[in-house]
Amino acid sequence: QVQLVESGGGLVQAGGSLRLSCAASGSIFRINVMGWYRQAPGKQRELVATITSGGSTSYADSVKGRFTISRDNAKNTVYLQMNSLKPEDTAVYYCNADIKTSWDRLATGFTGDQGTQVTVSS
């Protein structure tokens, strides 16, 4: 029905940059909030950043000033530009979107199944 596919992860040295992308497809009437979570081994899932359909953003304290979330509403895509990466940013990054699948249905949260691995070496 609705699919979110993340991409853009990889291996980078500390201080480097990566840009993640997440494209939503399927039965989409409107996308409200989009965001990125991350899950590191042995740690709880952490909300990294969110962006509303109007462009308002919020960030976890741990990434403020280093990460930037943006979106292209025409492409149903959300991005996460990650600069000044640190080893503690190593995790699988997942995107999430609050999506209305038709005009008469309430919005439902969808999360990417695969995620994209980000590994930052020291």
Side-chain angles (χ1 to χ4, degrees), residues 28-63:
I28 298 172
F29 175 74
R30 184 175 68 231
I31 301 178
N32 298 325
V33 178
M34 303 184 83
W36 289 94
Y37 291 82
R38 65 186 180 186
Q39 179 93 54
K43 294 186 178 180
Q44 288 188 329
R45 187 176 68 169
E46 178 186 20
L47 177 60
V48 176
T50 62
I51 184 168
T52 68
S53 56
S56 297
T57 60
S58 65
Y59 297 92
D61 288 342
S62 58
V63 306

Side-chain angles (χ1 to χ4, degrees), residues 7-28:
S7 62
L11 173 64
V12 64
Q13 288 188 331
S17 298
L18 284 173
R19 189 192 194 210
L20 307 183
S21 299
C22 173
S25 62
S27 180
I28 298 172

Side-chain angles (χ1 to χ4, degrees), residues 27-101:
S27 180
I28 298 172
F29 175 74
R30 184 175 68 231
I31 301 178
N32 298 325
V33 178
M34 303 184 83
W36 289 94
Y37 291 82
R38 65 186 180 186
Q39 179 93 54
K43 294 186 178 180
Q44 288 188 329
R45 187 176 68 169
E46 178 186 20
L47 177 60
V48 176
T50 62
I51 184 168
T52 68
S53 56
S56 297
T57 60
S58 65
Y59 297 92
D61 288 342
S62 58
V63 306
K64 280 181 181 177
R66 300 188 297 121
F67 290 10
T68 302
I69 189 170
S70 62
R71 63 191 282 175
D72 185 332
N73 291 329
K75 296 181 179 180
N76 292 333
T77 299
V78 62
Y79 306 96
L80 187 67
Q81 178 66 45
M82 306 185 294
N83 299 328
S84 302
L85 282 161
K86 303 176 181 179
E88 51 263 43
D89 294 319
T90 296
V92 179
Y93 284 70
Y94 299 88
C95 72
N96 176 272
D98 192 51
I99 298 174
K100 284 177 66 71
T101 56

